[in-house]
Amino acid sequence: MRRIYENRTVRGLAIVALIAAVVVVLSLEPVLAVTGGLLRIAFFLAIAFFLFLVWRERRGDLEAWSDRSRRVFYTAIALAVVDIGAAIGLSPMGADAIAFFAVLGLCAWAVVRTWRTEHTYT
């Protein structure tokens, strides 16, 4: 029996099973749902904060770009943040999920394309 608990995988699964049993026995499903919602919001805020830090670090470079490139870049970033927020809040499925990934991909393409255009030295 001791060898079973020395295995980290088995021990980890036992801890998860114990937590799941406590949630089921004490009927804590609503608490778990609220915690999941709070974690979604925290994740969204962490993404937005990371993007803010990246912008703050590179804003001197971005101010040297043309007005059009700057507008496209900032709009693509803002649309990506709104898209991720909508995905977190609405939990898209089917065609909505395809639209989410399409918008996110197009935003990434616009950001990369603008970045490369402004950093091409010819």
Side-chain angles (χ1 to χ4, degrees), residues 86-118:
I88 289 172
L90 301 175
S91 301
M93 294 185 159
D96 292 338
I98 292 171
F100 162 73
F101 286 114
V103 169
L104 198 59
L106 289 173
C107 288
W109 178 80
V111 166
V112 170
R113 176 78 179 188
T114 305
W115 185 271
R116 291 186 70 197
T117 300
E118 288 296 325

mmCIF file of all heavy atoms in Angstrom, residues 86-118:
data_model
loop_
_atom_site.group_PDB
_atom_site.id
_atom_site.type_symbol
_atom_site.label_atom_id
_atom_site.label_comp_id
_atom_site.label_asym_id
_atom_site.label_seq_id
_atom_site.Cartn_x
_atom_site.Cartn_y
_atom_site.Cartn_z
ATOM 1 N N ALA A 86 -15.561 38.045 -24.878
ATOM 2 C CA ALA A 86 -16.841 37.473 -25.288
ATOM 3 C C ALA A 86 -16.807 35.951 -25.216
ATOM 4 O O ALA A 86 -17.786 35.317 -24.821
ATOM 5 C CB ALA A 86 -17.201 37.930 -26.693
ATOM 6 N N ALA A 87 -15.691 35.368 -25.593
ATOM 7 C CA ALA A 87 -15.579 33.908 -25.532
ATOM 8 C C ALA A 87 -15.623 33.414 -24.096
ATOM 9 O O ALA A 87 -16.242 32.381 -23.806
ATOM 10 C CB ALA A 87 -14.294 33.449 -26.205
ATOM 11 N N ILE A 88 -14.993 34.149 -23.199
ATOM 12 C CA ILE A 88 -15.012 33.754 -21.791
ATOM 13 C C ILE A 88 -16.415 33.906 -21.216
ATOM 14 O O ILE A 88 -16.899 33.051 -20.479
ATOM 15 C CB ILE A 88 -13.980 34.567 -20.992
ATOM 16 C CG1 ILE A 88 -12.568 34.124 -21.369
ATOM 17 C CG2 ILE A 88 -14.193 34.417 -19.490
ATOM 18 C CD1 ILE A 88 -11.469 34.986 -20.795
ATOM 19 N N GLY A 89 -17.083 35.001 -21.565
ATOM 20 C CA GLY A 89 -18.406 35.261 -21.007
ATOM 21 C C GLY A 89 -19.517 34.449 -21.630
ATOM 22 O O GLY A 89 -20.477 34.077 -20.953
ATOM 23 N N LEU A 90 -19.417 34.154 -22.918
ATOM 24 C CA LEU A 90 -20.523 33.501 -23.621
ATOM 25 C C LEU A 90 -20.313 32.012 -23.878
ATOM 26 O O LEU A 90 -21.254 31.325 -24.241
ATOM 27 C CB LEU A 90 -20.766 34.205 -24.962
ATOM 28 C CG LEU A 90 -21.117 35.697 -24.864
ATOM 29 C CD1 LEU A 90 -21.219 36.306 -26.253
ATOM 30 C CD2 LEU A 90 -22.400 35.895 -24.084
ATOM 31 N N SER A 91 -19.109 31.519 -23.744
ATOM 32 C CA SER A 91 -18.786 30.114 -24.006
ATOM 33 C C SER A 91 -19.341 29.649 -25.353
ATOM 34 O O SER A 91 -20.286 28.862 -25.414
ATOM 35 C CB SER A 91 -19.306 29.210 -22.891
ATOM 36 O OG SER A 91 -18.757 29.576 -21.659
ATOM 37 N N PRO A 92 -18.760 30.137 -26.455
ATOM 38 C CA PRO A 92 -19.317 29.820 -27.775
ATOM 39 C C PRO A 92 -19.162 28.347 -28.139
ATOM 40 O O PRO A 92 -18.224 27.686 -27.716
ATOM 41 C CB PRO A 92 -18.489 30.697 -28.717
ATOM 42 C CG PRO A 92 -17.191 30.877 -28.014
ATOM 43 C CD PRO A 92 -17.537 30.919 -26.548
ATOM 44 N N MET A 93 -20.122 27.868 -28.934
ATOM 45 C CA MET A 93 -20.086 26.494 -29.435
ATOM 46 C C MET A 93 -20.465 26.509 -30.906
ATOM 47 O O MET A 93 -21.176 27.398 -31.364
ATOM 48 C CB MET A 93 -21.062 25.616 -28.665
ATOM 49 C CG MET A 93 -20.736 25.416 -27.233
ATOM 50 S SD MET A 93 -21.888 24.245 -26.540
ATOM 51 C CE MET A 93 -20.991 23.707 -25.131
ATOM 52 N N GLY A 94 -19.990 25.552 -31.645
ATOM 53 C CA GLY A 94 -20.353 25.403 -33.045
ATOM 54 C C GLY A 94 -19.839 26.538 -33.905
ATOM 55 O O GLY A 94 -18.654 26.852 -33.909
ATOM 56 N N ALA A 95 -20.748 27.159 -34.639
ATOM 57 C CA ALA A 95 -20.382 28.241 -35.562
ATOM 58 C C ALA A 95 -19.822 29.449 -34.820
ATOM 59 O O ALA A 95 -18.943 30.152 -35.329
ATOM 60 C CB ALA A 95 -21.594 28.649 -36.392
ATOM 61 N N ASP A 96 -20.318 29.685 -33.601
ATOM 62 C CA ASP A 96 -19.796 30.803 -32.813
ATOM 63 C C ASP A 96 -18.335 30.576 -32.436
ATOM 64 O O ASP A 96 -17.536 31.513 -32.414
ATOM 65 C CB ASP A 96 -20.632 31.005 -31.551
ATOM 66 C CG ASP A 96 -22.032 31.500 -31.850
ATOM 67 O OD1 ASP A 96 -22.227 32.078 -32.943
ATOM 68 O OD2 ASP A 96 -22.918 31.319 -30.998
ATOM 69 N N ALA A 97 -17.982 29.341 -32.135
ATOM 70 C CA ALA A 97 -16.589 29.031 -31.807
ATOM 71 C C ALA A 97 -15.696 29.208 -33.036
ATOM 72 O O ALA A 97 -14.577 29.714 -32.930
ATOM 73 C CB ALA A 97 -16.474 27.608 -31.264
ATOM 74 N N ILE A 98 -16.207 28.829 -34.190
ATOM 75 C CA ILE A 98 -15.439 29.024 -35.433
ATOM 76 C C ILE A 98 -15.241 30.510 -35.683
ATOM 77 O O ILE A 98 -14.147 30.956 -36.050
ATOM 78 C CB ILE A 98 -16.146 28.336 -36.612
ATOM 79 C CG1 ILE A 98 -16.102 26.816 -36.429
ATOM 80 C CG2 ILE A 98 -15.517 28.735 -37.938
ATOM 81 C CD1 ILE A 98 -16.947 26.046 -37.413
ATOM 82 N N ALA A 99 -16.295 31.302 -35.448
ATOM 83 C CA ALA A 99 -16.183 32.756 -35.619
ATOM 84 C C ALA A 99 -15.188 33.341 -34.626
ATOM 85 O O ALA A 99 -14.412 34.238 -34.970
ATOM 86 C CB ALA A 99 -17.553 33.403 -35.443
ATOM 87 N N PHE A 100 -15.176 32.844 -33.399
ATOM 88 C CA PHE A 100 -14.216 33.310 -32.393
ATOM 89 C C PHE A 100 -12.791 33.094 -32.874
ATOM 90 O O PHE A 100 -11.963 34.009 -32.839
ATOM 91 C CB PHE A 100 -14.452 32.588 -31.062
ATOM 92 C CG PHE A 100 -13.285 32.665 -30.126
ATOM 93 C CD1 PHE A 100 -12.980 33.840 -29.466
ATOM 94 C CD2 PHE A 100 -12.467 31.561 -29.920
ATOM 95 C CE1 PHE A 100 -11.899 33.913 -28.613
ATOM 96 C CE2 PHE A 100 -11.393 31.621 -29.071
ATOM 97 C CZ PHE A 100 -11.106 32.804 -28.408
ATOM 98 N N PHE A 101 -12.495 31.878 -33.327
ATOM 99 C CA PHE A 101 -11.139 31.590 -33.779
ATOM 100 C C PHE A 101 -10.794 32.344 -35.061
ATOM 101 O O PHE A 101 -9.650 32.746 -35.262
ATOM 102 C CB PHE A 101 -10.937 30.085 -33.955
ATOM 103 C CG PHE A 101 -10.823 29.363 -32.641
ATOM 104 C CD1 PHE A 101 -11.793 28.460 -32.249
ATOM 105 C CD2 PHE A 101 -9.750 29.597 -31.798
ATOM 106 C CE1 PHE A 101 -11.686 27.795 -31.040
ATOM 107 C CE2 PHE A 101 -9.635 28.942 -30.584
ATOM 108 C CZ PHE A 101 -10.608 28.044 -30.202
ATOM 109 N N ALA A 102 -11.783 32.549 -35.933
ATOM 110 C CA ALA A 102 -11.533 33.310 -37.158
ATOM 111 C C ALA A 102 -11.187 34.756 -36.838
ATOM 112 O O ALA A 102 -10.221 35.316 -37.386
ATOM 113 C CB ALA A 102 -12.752 33.244 -38.078
ATOM 114 N N VAL A 103 -11.949 35.380 -35.948
ATOM 115 C CA VAL A 103 -11.671 36.768 -35.563
ATOM 116 C C VAL A 103 -10.328 36.862 -34.870
ATOM 117 O O VAL A 103 -9.526 37.767 -35.143
ATOM 118 C CB VAL A 103 -12.808 37.320 -34.668
ATOM 119 C CG1 VAL A 103 -12.416 38.643 -34.031
ATOM 120 C CG2 VAL A 103 -14.079 37.477 -35.467
ATOM 121 N N LEU A 104 -10.035 35.922 -33.988
ATOM 122 C CA LEU A 104 -8.751 35.935 -33.283
ATOM 123 C C LEU A 104 -7.595 35.736 -34.261
ATOM 124 O O LEU A 104 -6.559 36.414 -34.158
ATOM 125 C CB LEU A 104 -8.743 34.849 -32.208
ATOM 126 C CG LEU A 104 -7.699 34.978 -31.120
ATOM 127 C CD1 LEU A 104 -7.851 36.295 -30.380
ATOM 128 C CD2 LEU A 104 -7.815 33.817 -30.153
ATOM 129 N N GLY A 105 -7.762 34.854 -35.226
ATOM 130 C CA GLY A 105 -6.724 34.640 -36.229
ATOM 131 C C GLY A 105 -6.509 35.859 -37.101
ATOM 132 O O GLY A 105 -5.368 36.226 -37.414
ATOM 133 N N LEU A 106 -7.600 36.509 -37.514
ATOM 134 C CA LEU A 106 -7.470 37.715 -38.324
ATOM 135 C C LEU A 106 -6.821 38.856 -37.537
ATOM 136 O O LEU A 106 -6.044 39.631 -38.098
ATOM 137 C CB LEU A 106 -8.839 38.139 -38.864
ATOM 138 C CG LEU A 106 -9.416 37.227 -39.940
ATOM 139 C CD1 LEU A 106 -10.846 37.629 -40.275
ATOM 140 C CD2 LEU A 106 -8.545 37.238 -41.177
ATOM 141 N N CYS A 107 -7.125 38.951 -36.263
ATOM 142 C CA CYS A 107 -6.468 39.964 -35.418
ATOM 143 C C CYS A 107 -4.968 39.682 -35.328
ATOM 144 O O CYS A 107 -4.149 40.606 -35.434
ATOM 145 C CB CYS A 107 -7.082 39.990 -34.023
ATOM 146 S SG CYS A 107 -8.728 40.701 -33.968
ATOM 147 N N ALA A 108 -4.612 38.435 -35.126
ATOM 148 C CA ALA A 108 -3.191 38.079 -35.057
ATOM 149 C C ALA A 108 -2.507 38.370 -36.385
ATOM 150 O O ALA A 108 -1.379 38.894 -36.413
ATOM 151 C CB ALA A 108 -3.037 36.606 -34.691
ATOM 152 N N TRP A 109 -3.180 38.056 -37.487
ATOM 153 C CA TRP A 109 -2.613 38.343 -38.807
ATOM 154 C C TRP A 109 -2.403 39.843 -38.993
ATOM 155 O O TRP A 109 -1.362 40.269 -39.496
ATOM 156 C CB TRP A 109 -3.528 37.790 -39.899
ATOM 157 C CG TRP A 109 -3.031 38.093 -41.270
ATOM 158 C CD1 TRP A 109 -2.052 37.430 -41.945
ATOM 159 C CD2 TRP A 109 -3.475 39.142 -42.127
ATOM 160 N NE1 TRP A 109 -1.870 38.008 -43.181
ATOM 161 C CE2 TRP A 109 -2.714 39.061 -43.317
ATOM 162 C CE3 TRP A 109 -4.431 40.137 -42.007
ATOM 163 C CZ2 TRP A 109 -2.894 39.942 -44.367
ATOM 164 C CZ3 TRP A 109 -4.614 41.009 -43.062
ATOM 165 C CH2 TRP A 109 -3.846 40.912 -44.227
ATOM 166 N N ALA A 110 -3.383 40.659 -38.585
ATOM 167 C CA ALA A 110 -3.252 42.115 -38.729
ATOM 168 C C ALA A 110 -2.108 42.654 -37.887
ATOM 169 O O ALA A 110 -1.338 43.517 -38.338
ATOM 170 C CB ALA A 110 -4.566 42.798 -38.346
ATOM 171 N N VAL A 111 -1.960 42.144 -36.674
ATOM 172 C CA VAL A 111 -0.875 42.605 -35.798
ATOM 173 C C VAL A 111 0.481 42.232 -36.388
ATOM 174 O O VAL A 111 1.386 43.067 -36.484
ATOM 175 C CB VAL A 111 -1.049 42.025 -34.373
ATOM 176 C CG1 VAL A 111 0.214 42.193 -33.552
ATOM 177 C CG2 VAL A 111 -2.226 42.678 -33.685
ATOM 178 N N VAL A 112 0.637 40.983 -36.810
ATOM 179 C CA VAL A 112 1.918 40.529 -37.354
ATOM 180 C C VAL A 112 2.227 41.248 -38.661
ATOM 181 O O VAL A 112 3.366 41.688 -38.891
ATOM 182 C CB VAL A 112 1.909 38.997 -37.548
ATOM 183 C CG1 VAL A 112 3.115 38.529 -38.331
ATOM 184 C CG2 VAL A 112 1.843 38.296 -36.202
ATOM 185 N N ARG A 113 1.236 41.380 -39.512
ATOM 186 C CA ARG A 113 1.441 42.058 -40.795
ATOM 187 C C ARG A 113 1.843 43.516 -40.598
ATOM 188 O O ARG A 113 2.768 44.019 -41.245
ATOM 189 C CB ARG A 113 0.150 41.956 -41.609
ATOM 190 C CG ARG A 113 0.152 42.679 -42.895
ATOM 191 C CD ARG A 113 0.901 41.936 -43.932
ATOM 192 N NE ARG A 113 0.823 42.706 -45.159
ATOM 193 C CZ ARG A 113 1.235 42.281 -46.307
ATOM 194 N NH1 ARG A 113 1.722 41.078 -46.403
ATOM 195 N NH2 ARG A 113 1.166 43.034 -47.358
ATOM 196 N N THR A 114 1.180 44.210 -39.679
ATOM 197 C CA THR A 114 1.518 45.606 -39.398
ATOM 198 C C THR A 114 2.913 45.713 -38.809
ATOM 199 O O THR A 114 3.699 46.589 -39.177
ATOM 200 C CB THR A 114 0.479 46.219 -38.438
ATOM 201 O OG1 THR A 114 -0.817 46.046 -38.993
ATOM 202 C CG2 THR A 114 0.749 47.685 -38.208
ATOM 203 N N TRP A 115 3.228 44.814 -37.885
ATOM 204 C CA TRP A 115 4.552 44.815 -37.255
ATOM 205 C C TRP A 115 5.642 44.618 -38.305
ATOM 206 O O TRP A 115 6.646 45.328 -38.320
ATOM 207 C CB TRP A 115 4.611 43.728 -36.192
ATOM 208 C CG TRP A 115 5.885 43.727 -35.407
ATOM 209 C CD1 TRP A 115 7.032 43.070 -35.706
ATOM 210 C CD2 TRP A 115 6.142 44.437 -34.215
ATOM 211 N NE1 TRP A 115 7.994 43.306 -34.770
ATOM 212 C CE2 TRP A 115 7.469 44.157 -33.829
ATOM 213 C CE3 TRP A 115 5.374 45.266 -33.407
ATOM 214 C CZ2 TRP A 115 8.039 44.682 -32.689
ATOM 215 C CZ3 TRP A 115 5.954 45.791 -32.270
ATOM 216 C CH2 TRP A 115 7.272 45.499 -31.924
ATOM 217 N N ARG A 116 5.441 43.636 -39.173
ATOM 218 C CA ARG A 116 6.449 43.369 -40.203
ATOM 219 C C ARG A 116 6.563 44.501 -41.206
ATOM 220 O O ARG A 116 7.650 44.810 -41.685
ATOM 221 C CB ARG A 116 6.127 42.052 -40.918
ATOM 222 C CG ARG A 116 6.341 40.850 -39.991
ATOM 223 C CD ARG A 116 6.178 39.556 -40.694
ATOM 224 N NE ARG A 116 7.299 39.387 -41.620
ATOM 225 C CZ ARG A 116 7.297 38.534 -42.608
ATOM 226 N NH1 ARG A 116 6.257 37.782 -42.835
ATOM 227 N NH2 ARG A 116 8.350 38.410 -43.404
ATOM 228 N N THR A 117 5.443 45.122 -41.544
ATOM 229 C CA THR A 117 5.462 46.249 -42.472
ATOM 230 C C THR A 117 6.262 47.411 -41.895
ATOM 231 O O THR A 117 7.057 48.047 -42.597
ATOM 232 C CB THR A 117 4.022 46.720 -42.793
ATOM 233 O OG1 THR A 117 3.326 45.648 -43.386
ATOM 234 C CG2 THR A 117 4.041 47.913 -43.738
ATOM 235 N N GLU A 118 6.087 47.671 -40.620
ATOM 236 C CA GLU A 118 6.791 48.803 -39.989
ATOM 237 C C GLU A 118 8.249 48.482 -39.688
ATOM 238 O O GLU A 118 9.031 49.383 -39.440
ATOM 239 C CB GLU A 118 6.061 49.222 -38.708
ATOM 240 C CG GLU A 118 4.764 49.927 -38.961
ATOM 241 C CD GLU A 118 4.941 51.257 -39.695
ATOM 242 O OE1 GLU A 118 5.953 51.953 -39.459
ATOM 243 O OE2 GLU A 118 4.069 51.589 -40.500
#
